[in-house]
Amino acid sequence: MRIAVITGASSGMGREFVKAVDRAYVLDAIWVIARRKERLEALGAECRTPVRALAWDLSAPESLDAYRSLLETEQPEIRILINAAGYGVFTAFEQGDPENQLGIVDLNDRALTAVCALSLPYMKSGGEIVNLGSNSSWQPVPYMAVYAASKAYVLSFSRALGRELKTRGIHVMCVCPGWIKTEFMDRAVHDDTITYYDRWYTAEQVVTRAMKDLKKRKTVSILGFPVRMQVRLVKLLPVQWVMNTWCRQQKKP
């Protein structure tokens, strides 16, 4: 049984990846993972490929145990794994809820790492892993410090894992988009901490570019010339200068 596994599938980037994979791959099933079962089931009705709705919160250890058990029972071949589950909170670190901040690390990093580890024994040569990073992966970002750091981990982990898996013929790509109009922003933005957004993209635009880049075997996918130029600049400029510029944009000290 050849399958795709897509986390964070109930909305935003994850939902768009499900639809893109359904169009691009011939599979026996797509396993979709997110907390909201009704949304996953509704998404399944839109796909030609059979969809298995797994209503799990991957930040909870019991959900990872359930995923491990399901893999052991079904013994599928995972053709493509897409880790799109994640969230962020835009606020000053000392003003944020510590449990909420730790939850970002648990979902964006710990769960992503665990899903990769659990999935790899079921992947063969030609398999693909797509991890969702961010434009914030490339730099420290005050007032969204934990989120940016969590995405820096995703980028670094994806690059290193991809190098290790070359001998197995498994390709790893990290998607690093700029600002995207999704439900992510509804959870991340709850006050006027962040007010400056230079350019918006849609989840569909980001996923369309990511699927093209995956075919080209790219290790990083970045949509938009302005975002790519920003990435190049932050690699060259001093970190303090980059943070100062960001803080001026957000009218912060």
Side-chain angles (χ1 to χ4, degrees):
M1 178 172 63
R2 283 164 57 90
I3 69 168
V5 177
I6 302 174
T7 74
S10 62
S11 65
M13 294 282 292
R15 180 181 174 83
E16 290 300 326
F17 267 120
V18 172
K19 293 190 287 186
V21 167
D22 180 52
R23 291 190 298 266
Y25 293 74
V26 177
L27 301 164
D28 296 303
I30 302 175
W31 292 7
V32 292
I33 302 174
R35 293 176 300 167
R36 294 172 288 191
K37 186 174 184 178
E38 69 284 354
R39 287 204 177 188
L40 297 178
E41 291 175 342
L43 178 59
E46 301 177 23
C47 297
R48 63 182 176 87
T49 308
V51 169
R52 186 164 188 168
L54 303 170
W56 295 334
D57 177 0
L58 289 175
S59 62
E62 55 268 26
S63 293
L64 296 171
D65 290 339
Y67 181 55
R68 178 190 289 107
S69 296
L70 184 60
L71 289 171
E72 291 173 351
T73 300
E74 299 289 339
Q75 293 290 313
E77 177 192 342
I78 300 177
R79 173 64 180 81
I80 180 169
L81 166 65
I82 299 177
N83 283 298
Y87 77 97
V89 178
F90 300 168
T91 188
F93 177 73
E94 64 178 349
Q95 295 174 5
D97 175 14
E99 289 302 315
N100 206 11
Q101 301 281 16
L102 289 171
I104 295 172
V105 178
D106 284 342
L107 184 57
N108 295 10
D109 297 337
R110 186 176 181 277
L112 179 147
T113 305
V115 171
C116 285
L118 293 170
S119 301
L120 277 170
Y122 302 90
M123 301 187 76
K124 297 180 179 180
S125 179
E128 297 162 317
I129 297 174
V130 177
N131 292 328
L132 185 58
S134 167
N135 194 29
S136 302
S137 298
W138 307 94
Q139 63 203 56
V141 186
Y143 304 100
M144 41 195 287
V146 175
Y147 172 75
S150 77
K151 291 303 185 179
Y153 171 90
V154 173
L155 175 61
S156 178
F157 172 70
S158 299
R159 284 174 151 175
L161 181 64
R163 185 59 179 264
E164 291 181 19
L165 294 177
K166 283 181 68 175
T167 57
R168 287 189 55 190
I170 297 172
H171 182 69
V172 182
M173 185 178 77
C174 187
V175 182
C176 293
W179 298 112
I180 318 172
K181 287 186 179 293
T182 66
E183 290 182 22
F184 169 92
M185 296 300 295
D186 297 335
R187 185 174 186 180
V189 179
H190 57 277
D191 57 27
D192 61 353
T193 299
I194 303 299
T195 57
Y196 174 79
Y197 306 94
D198 54 351
R199 185 181 296 268
W200 288 98
Y201 297 95
T202 66
E204 184 178 5
Q205 288 174 314
V206 175
V207 170
T208 297
R209 175 58 187 260
M211 296 300 287
K212 291 178 180 178
D213 288 342
L214 189 60
K215 285 185 178 180
K216 296 175 182 177
R217 316 308 285 172
K218 291 191 175 183
T219 58
V220 176
S221 176
I222 302 174
L223 171 68
F225 178 76
V227 182
R228 291 194 294 274
M229 287 303 298
Q230 182 180 338
V231 169
R232 291 182 181 180
L233 284 172
V234 299
K235 289 180 179 180
L236 299 173
L237 296 170
V239 171
Q240 291 298 329
W241 191 94
V242 172
M243 288 195 294
N244 287 343
T245 301
W246 164 258
C247 288
R248 283 196 302 271
Q249 290 172 335
Q250 303 303 335
K251 298 181 172 56
K252 302 295 182 185

